[in-house]
């Protein structure tokens, strides 16, 4: 079923869409909002010209606006590779081989020369260019393109793109979770449409968004949050359709014990009671009114009958006061509704998956949330550091109720593949964080050390050297 | 039970995963009246499996086992190999880098033993579809049987043909294409025509760097962009309690040595060893599986 003109609309950018700006290996999430300036790689520009164009289109930035990039520009700067050297034995790097000065280049830029043309100028004015080897010339051109290219590509957001963006731009915000580690989490957690997944993360919403993308709007996701309210700015960047948000619930960590004990209702579903932070937030939102609040509130109640006799200015203030009170009530009501909706999803203790990725110590988080999982369901815990996961592993072994525990991390190596120039680039290893994964099983009575054949004991349950075989077949 | 949807209890016809120990799992087709031999004893399907909850512990004559709900990950480590398979580490990376999600339409060749296929189906369910091509007739038939047994047959089409000659059997429908064949460069053109007009992602898995070079050249020639080659390796950490003995540097004064020794023995002042919880790595870091090359097809 080939697509036709009608299907195009879902691939075209609209006002309000979330996109990811890309130049080379640099990414940045943005939203197309008319008259809103965006800064990317030291350039300010508006995005509204992108509306109506397809995603993945490359634009030139001219005069602060996007212009469609003509395909003819994509040609190589140096098509005639006739003149090239053999090696660099006679090339002296004295910094004087480029005749154009920085001011000259600025002038060219101001003249309105395209990136391509500037690069050609640089080549023409370089005394050593013709002596470089073909490969060195290639490298030189690539480097200049990176510096003087004026283009930006607008991508449709996806887990892959956003994970790479966050890792490159703001790793601290996502607890240094590298994108290959995130990929492992989503698969080990068996995240799929129609399941019920619990997520606890402090990764700006990236992990939550990734889970939601893999659920496709089917099933439900409950985000557990530690403090006043869930943080999920990153989820917006995914640009999910509105109905996805109907599957997303949130539940405060501080009420989990009550939920497990079945005492949640008795505590009175008053969200503001034990979440002082939110109250502070609300007060900040309406500082002036609140401060004047108390005496005026009283006077409002006692003098409700006399409202006609009040000055028009005071009437206005009263109206605003009432409106604010209404708003506050509405918000509390909504919060209550959300809380009981989330509680209803969780209280069956039959969640299908658990994903933890936060700056908090993973041990108590994991132990506290595991009881919400059904038996024979996977869980994945991410930690930037290995030791907390060793603790988790140990506690889980002591407690029982889980099998197939694995403490791992992934190594990621990128390669440059070019004719006669293929070699590895960088190797990313421990810096991407660690994962502990496992599967729940029916929790029976605490098991004594069972006399299993082959002299197995508790410590033998830990991965035995035999595991080497499973991984050795990889290299077969 | 389905490999793409959880259920609570074990039913006849299910494929369940029997977990014996960390490195020992086996799939079992649940049938009334059947029995399965394990090294801990016999499992009687009617009494021990059917009707019980997934995750239950089943006692056998010489120990116990757990019965787990199948997942593509558990299947990957317990399926019968007909070919070398892809493991979860590579599968995870492929899934994310191809932007797979519910509704995605994917083309894959070769199917092999179906390890990656199951993972793809799980991710694209319930609205997506997998078109998978396998040129070996018996393998194609076997994997088709398994898809049906695993209740995911409606989301996959198996074609027994040579992808390099005949392509994937569909055109302009795929969001992503995956190649794990000896000569992927011969299939790049077919991959391009299988992908949707508005573009899509492609991945080629090859163990040898020469294959990677030819495939990258083919991607470039066919107008693919964002060509990227990487490899991902899994490092496993084994948690161990290790006892480190403490050296004895003697007492403060040689004169009082006899007295002190007697005291020490009674009071147990200096421990002979310290116990630490740490991780060790297996003797060899897991080896190379293959290089993953990803690319994007722009709009045509």
């Amino acid at each position: 079923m080939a697509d036709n003109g009608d299907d195009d609309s879902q691939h075209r950018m609209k006002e309000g869409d979330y996109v990811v700006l890309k130049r080379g290996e640099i990414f940045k999430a943005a939203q197309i909002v008319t008259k809103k300036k965006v800064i990317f790689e030291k350039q300010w520009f508006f995005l509204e010209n992108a509306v109506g164009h397809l995603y993945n289109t490359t634009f030139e930035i001219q005069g602060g606006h996007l212009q469609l990039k003509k395909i003819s520009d994509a040609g190589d700067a140096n098509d005639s590779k006739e003149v090239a050297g053999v090696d660099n034995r006679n090339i002296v790097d004295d910094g004087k081989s480029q005749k154009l000065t920085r001011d000259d280049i600025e002038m060219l830029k101001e003249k309105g020369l395209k990136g391509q043309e500037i690069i050609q100028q640089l080549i023409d004015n370089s005394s050593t260019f013709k002596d470089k080897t073909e490969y060195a010339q290639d490298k030189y051109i690539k480097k200049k393109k990176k510096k003087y290219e004026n283009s930006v590509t607008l991508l449709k957001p996806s887990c892959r793109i956003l994970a790479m963006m966050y890792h490159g731009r703001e790793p601290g915000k996502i607890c240094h979770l590298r994108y290959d580690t995130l990929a492992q989490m989503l698969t080990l957690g068996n995240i799929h449409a129609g399941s019920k997944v619990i997520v606890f993360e402090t990764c700006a919403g990236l992990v939550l968004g990734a889970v939601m993308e893999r659920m496709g709007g089917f099933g439900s996701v409950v985000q557990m949050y530690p403090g006043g309210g869930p943080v999920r700015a990153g989820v917006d960047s995914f640009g999910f359709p509105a109905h996805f948000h109907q599957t997303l619930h949130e539940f405060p960590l501080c009420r989990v014990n009550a939920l497990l004990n079945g005492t949640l209702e008795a505590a009175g579903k008053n969200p503001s009671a034990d979440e002082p932070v939110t109250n502070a937030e609300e007060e900040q939102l309406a500082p002036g009114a609140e401060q004047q609040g108390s005496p005026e509130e009283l006077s409002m109640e006692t003098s409700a009958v006399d409202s006609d006799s009040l000055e028009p200015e005071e009437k206005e203030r009263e109206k605003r006061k009432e409106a604010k009170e209404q708003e506050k009530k509405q918000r509390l009501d909504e919060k209550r509704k959300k809380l009981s909706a989330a509680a209803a999803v969780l209280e069956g203790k039959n969640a299908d998956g658990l994903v933890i990725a936060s700056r908090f110590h993973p041990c108590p988080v994991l132990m506290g949330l595991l009881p919400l999982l059904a038996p024979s369901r996977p869980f994945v815990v991410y930690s930037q550091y290995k030791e907390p996961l060793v603790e988790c592993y140990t506690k889980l072994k002591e407690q029982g109720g889980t099998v197939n525990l694995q403490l791992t991390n992934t190594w990621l190596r990128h390669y440059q593949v070019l004719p006669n120039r293929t070699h590895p680039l960088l190797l990313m290893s421990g810096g991407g964080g660690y994962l502990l994964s496992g599967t729940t099983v029916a929790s029976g009575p605490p098991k004594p050390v069972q006399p299993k054949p082959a002299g197995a004991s508790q410590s033998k349950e830990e991965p035995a050297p035999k595991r080497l075989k499973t991984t050795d077949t990889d290299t077969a | 039970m389905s490999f793409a949807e959880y259920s609570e209890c074990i039913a006849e016809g299910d494929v369940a995963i029997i977990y014996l120990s960390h490195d020992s799992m086996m799939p079992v087709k649940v049938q009334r009246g059947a029995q399965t031999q394990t090294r801990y004893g016999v499992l009687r399907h009617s009494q021990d499996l059917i009707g019980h909850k997934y995750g239950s512990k089943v006692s056998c004559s010489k120990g116990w086992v757990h019965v787990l709900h199948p997942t593509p990950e558990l299947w990957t480590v317990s399926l019968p190999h007909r070919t070398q398979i892809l493991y979860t580490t590579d599968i995870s990376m492929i899934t994310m880098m191809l932007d797979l999600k519910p509704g995605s339409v994917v083309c894959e060749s070769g199917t092999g033993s179906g390890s990656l296929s199951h993972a793809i189906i799980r991710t694209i369910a319930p609205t997506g579809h997998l078109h998978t091509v396998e040129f070996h007739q018996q393998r194609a038939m076997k994997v088709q049987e398994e898809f049906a047994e695993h209740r995911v047959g409606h989301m996959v089409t198996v074609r027994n043909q040579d992808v390099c000659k005949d392509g994937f059997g569909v055109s302009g429908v795929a969001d992503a294409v995956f190649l794990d064949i000896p000569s992927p460069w011969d299939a790049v053109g077919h991959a391009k025509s299988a992908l949707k007009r508005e573009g899509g992602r492609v991945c080629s898995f090859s163990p040898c760097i020469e294959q990677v070079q030819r495939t990258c050249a083919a991607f470039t020639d066919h107008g693919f962009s964002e060509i990227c080659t990487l490899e991902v390796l899994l490092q496993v950490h084994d948690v161990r309690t290790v006892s480190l003995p403490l050296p004895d540097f003697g007492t403060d004064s040689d004169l009082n040595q006899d007295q002190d020794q007697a005291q020490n023995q009674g009071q147990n002042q200096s421990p002979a060893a310290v116990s630490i919880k740490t991780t060790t790595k297996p003797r060899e870091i897991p080896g190379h599986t293959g290089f993953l090359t990803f690319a994007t097809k722009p709009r045509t």
Side-chain angles (χ1 to χ4, degrees), chain A residues 189-199 208 211-212 214-215 217-224 247-249 259 340-355 369-379 440, chain B residues 4-8:
Chain A
N190 194 18
I191 310 297
H192 62 278
S195 48
K196 190 193 290 188
V197 181
I198 300 174
V199 177
L208 180 61
V211 168
M212 286 173 73
R214 293 280 270 262
M215 310 258 304
F218 301 93
S220 51
V221 184
V222 182
Q223 181 188 11
M224 313 298 289
T247 62
L248 179 58
H249 303 266
L259 179 73
S340 36
V345 173
L346 292 173
E347 59 199 5
K349 295 186 206 169
N350 56 4
D352 297 314
L354 174 61
V355 177
L369 295 177
L370 264 182
L372 293 170
L373 279 183
S376 187
R377 297 292 184 269
F379 57 90
T440 56
Chain B
E5 206 180 313
Y6 282 119
S7 56
E8 202 184 328

Side-chain angles (χ1 to χ4, degrees), chain B residues 16 24-25 32-33 38 116 128 145-146 152 169 182 192 215 234 256 298:
Chain B
S24 176
M25 280 181 257
R32 214 165 282 279
T38 75
L116 174 66
E145 270 174 41
E146 284 174 348
V152 294
K192 190 174 180 187
T215 309
L234 185 71
N256 297 328

Side-chain angles (χ1 to χ4, degrees), chain A residues 273-294:
Chain A
D274 38 14
E275 288 170 34
V277 183
T278 340
N279 272 339
E281 278 175 18
E282 293 197 48
E283 266 154 52
Q284 273 175 22
L285 289 170
E290 290 291 336
Q291 279 161 18
Q292 296 168 12
S294 317

Side-chain angles (χ1 to χ4, degrees), chain B residues 217-248:
Chain B
F219 280 146
T220 309
D221 291 341
H222 280 85
F224 284 82
S225 60
E226 289 188 310
I227 302 168
C228 152
T229 301
L230 51 87
E231 77 175 321
V232 59
L233 298 168
L234 185 71
Q235 172 79 76
V236 180
H237 300 268
D238 298 338
V239 180
R240 293 256 179 281
T241 307
V242 171
S243 186
L244 300 174
L246 292 172
D248 177 15

